[in-house]
Structure formats: C-alpha cells, structure tokens
Amino acid sequence: MARNIFKGLGIALVTPFTSDGAVDYTALKRLITYQLDNGADFFCILATTGETPTLTKEEKQAIKEIVVDMAGNKVPILMGCGGNNTAEVVNELQTNDFTGIDGVLSVCPYYNKPSQEGLYQHFRTIAASTSLPIVLYNVPGRTGVNMKAETTLRLAHDCNNIVGIKEAAGSLEQVDEIIKNKPDKFDVISGDDALTFPMIACGAAGVISVIGNALPKEFSRMIRLEMNGEIESARKIHHKFTDLFNLLFVDGNPAGVKAMLHEMGMIENVLRLPLVPTRLTTMQRISECLKFRL
C-alpha cells in the first residue's frame, strides 16, 4: 500500500517565460536551485501555477526533465495529470513519460460538473490505471464542483494508491472531517497558502504553495515551527504574510507570484494568454510588502 511522501513545503512551480514568450529554461533552473537551497521539501510541477494548459508537449517534457535532473535525487516530485475526460487522463498515465516522477496530482474534472458518484468513479478509474501514488486536487473555485469529504474518504479507503488530497475548497470544517476519518496512509495537503497555518493545526501534512516560489525560506520556517509545536512563533510569521497572501491572488494566479519573482530579479514578468500580468497598483503594493522580507 502506497503512503504519502509529499509533506512540508511543496512548491507549485511557475513556468518562467522570456520577454518574447518562450520558456525561460535558464530562469527555471535558477528558481529550482533557489528553492532547494531555501527549504523546499518537494516540487509540484506542470499544474495550475505552471500555466500548463498553455505549454506544448515538448515544453512540458523539457520542464519535467530539468526538474527531475536537478531535484529528483533530493526531494520528491509530484506532476500534474488530470482533466475532465477520464479516458484521456488514463491514456496519459499509461503512455506519457513519468520517469523520475514520484506521484501525480489529479484535479477534479472541471466544466462537466459531475456528481459525487461521478467524481468517485473518475478517480477510481484513474487510480486503477497506474501504480503511481495519486494526490487528488479539490479546487471548486476553478472546477465548479466541490468534492465532499465523504467522497474523498471513500476514495482514500477504497484505492490503495490514492495517498492524499490537495484541499483548496476553503472549508476548514471539510478539512477537519477528512483528517478525522482518513486512513493512516492518506494525508491532507493545503492548497491555499493563506489557510496553511490553520490547516496544519488541524493535522494537514503540508502545503503545495504558490508563495513558496518566491519566499521558500520564510514559509518553510513557519511550517517547521508549527509542526514542531512552536505555535506562537509560527503564528507571527503567518500574520506577517497576510498582506502578501491577498496580493498574490487579487489579479489571479500566477500573476501575483510572477510579479513578486520579477521584483526580486528572478524572472521576467511574462504570462501566456489568456493570463496577463498584475496591475501596476498591485505591483507597487507587492514591492512595498517585499521590503520587509520577514
């Protein structure tokens, strides 16, 4: 039976682009080194924050190979593989190159708005098609449907290789219900930077973080302090992050964190359509918040 190995600070890795819109592989390598040197416990690649729907098959493969080469012998790597066509997700799992990948992150089907039974059958079918550990991803703000705790728990108990869920429904009550009734091999992982502190207090195993791209040292310190029982010290860091949490998402993700990384001199502030950079006013506020750098 597979167990969750994706714990602590996970980086929801951005995809840097050059000024002309090409993937900036030099900046990507710089980011990976920076994050490894400053507390990253695992990477989550080719998912939402990586602007994956805008990448070509060749770009995805190149990004995957770079991350595996640089980080594969140091930390676990989780790779996005999901969609709203169950048969196509199964095909990807059976035909794509997962060499060096330790697990897959699979998002709830979007747009179709399936029932809870549909969600269960979708993920059960996916789990049966691969031996890789699977982390479910519940993000109703993007998919249009919330996977209820009872469905998550049903999958956790019935499928040996479903080892966790990235929860981004924004409900601590739902998180608490899952953690209370889950099997030992299964973990909840925060999918919301702003709720990571209270979710870990409930028993979450870590976070797949957006802000960790830019401030891995500070955010990983908060997580480690809290997990070591140093709650007050962790809370102080959490409260220092509050303004940045809001700014990260006010103009959409990953626009906020890309603006932050650009302000830090790490990447160009470029996104691929239909996403666009943050507004100038947001950029200025991010710059002001970064001055204290915790």
Side-chain angles (χ1 to χ4, degrees):
M1 180 180 291
R3 300 184 69 88
N4 178 51
I5 61 171
F6 304 103
K7 300 173 184 282
L9 175 62
I11 307 295
L13 191 63
V14 302
T15 302
F17 299 118
T18 61
S19 57
D20 62 0
V23 176
D24 190 339
Y25 296 107
T26 300
L28 178 65
K29 293 175 183 178
R30 183 164 59 243
L31 280 177
I32 295 167
T33 298
Y34 168 68
Q35 291 152 4
L36 285 172
D37 289 346
N38 286 279
D41 294 305
F42 66 95
F43 282 94
C44 180
I45 66 171
L46 300 177
T48 308
T49 305
E51 297 175 73
T52 307
T54 71
L55 300 174
T56 67
K57 182 177 181 180
E58 292 74 22
E59 288 169 337
K60 292 176 188 178
Q61 181 65 20
I63 290 168
K64 176 252 183 188
E65 288 176 358
I66 287 171
V67 178
V68 168
D69 181 61
M70 294 185 67
N73 62 344
K74 299 174 182 176
V75 298
I77 301 170
L78 187 65
M79 188 165 85
C81 183
N84 61 347
N85 179 342
T86 308
E88 180 58 29
V89 178
V90 168
N91 181 62
E92 288 184 23
L93 285 168
Q94 294 179 340
T95 61
N96 282 8
D97 177 17
F98 288 90
T99 306
I101 298 301
D102 299 292
V104 296
L105 178 74
S106 198
V107 69
C108 285
Y110 41 82
Y111 187 74
N112 306 26
K113 299 185 77 172
S115 66
Q116 294 300 305
E117 182 63 25
L119 290 172
Y120 173 81
Q121 294 296 342
H122 170 82
F123 284 120
R124 184 175 181 179
T125 300
I126 288 171
S129 73
T130 180
S131 60
L132 285 167
I134 295 171
V135 175
L136 311 172
Y137 183 17
N138 186 36
V139 57
R142 289 183 178 272
T143 64
V145 60
N146 174 48
M147 185 157 66
K148 295 180 180 179
E150 62 191 61
T151 305
T152 299
L153 289 166
R154 189 179 169 198
L155 287 162
H157 284 283
D158 290 355
C159 303
N160 287 338
N161 60 330
I162 292 182
V163 299
I165 183 168
K166 178 184 177 183
E167 255 296 342
S171 170
L172 291 176
E173 182 180 2
Q174 181 161 292
V175 166
D176 201 43
E177 184 177 349
I178 296 169
I179 291 172
K180 178 182 177 181
N181 297 296
K182 70 179 183 64
D184 289 341
K185 58 99 176 179
F186 185 90
D187 283 319
V188 172
I189 303 166
S190 172
D192 186 334
D193 284 335
L195 290 181
T196 297
F197 179 82
M199 284 181 68
I200 289 176
C202 288
V207 61
I208 296 175
S209 173
V210 174
I211 203 170
N213 279 278
L215 301 174
K217 184 175 182 179
E218 295 88 341
F219 207 48
S220 65
R221 176 168 169 75
M222 183 198 80
I223 293 166
R224 285 172 170 78
L225 285 168
E226 186 173 12
M227 287 183 166
N228 287 334
E230 299 179 56
I231 306 300
E232 188 56 37
S233 296
R235 183 185 293 114
K236 288 178 181 178
I237 298 175
H238 165 70
H239 285 154
K240 287 181 179 180
F241 271 115
T242 303
D243 288 340
L244 278 176
F245 288 149
N246 293 332
L247 289 172
L248 273 186
F249 301 101
V250 68
D251 293 327
N253 180 46
V257 74
K258 280 197 160 183
M260 192 180 299
L261 287 163
H262 176 70
E263 187 68 19
M264 295 167 62
M266 301 286 286
I267 66 171
E268 296 289 336
N269 191 23
V270 178
L271 292 88
R272 283 184 176 172
L273 290 171
L275 301 182
V276 296
T278 59
R279 294 167 292 174
L280 181 59
T281 52
T282 305
M283 189 80 169
Q284 290 170 338
R285 292 176 62 196
I286 287 173
S287 179
E288 291 169 4
C289 284
L290 279 174
K291 288 177 183 177
F292 65 83
R293 287 297 302 277
L294 302 177

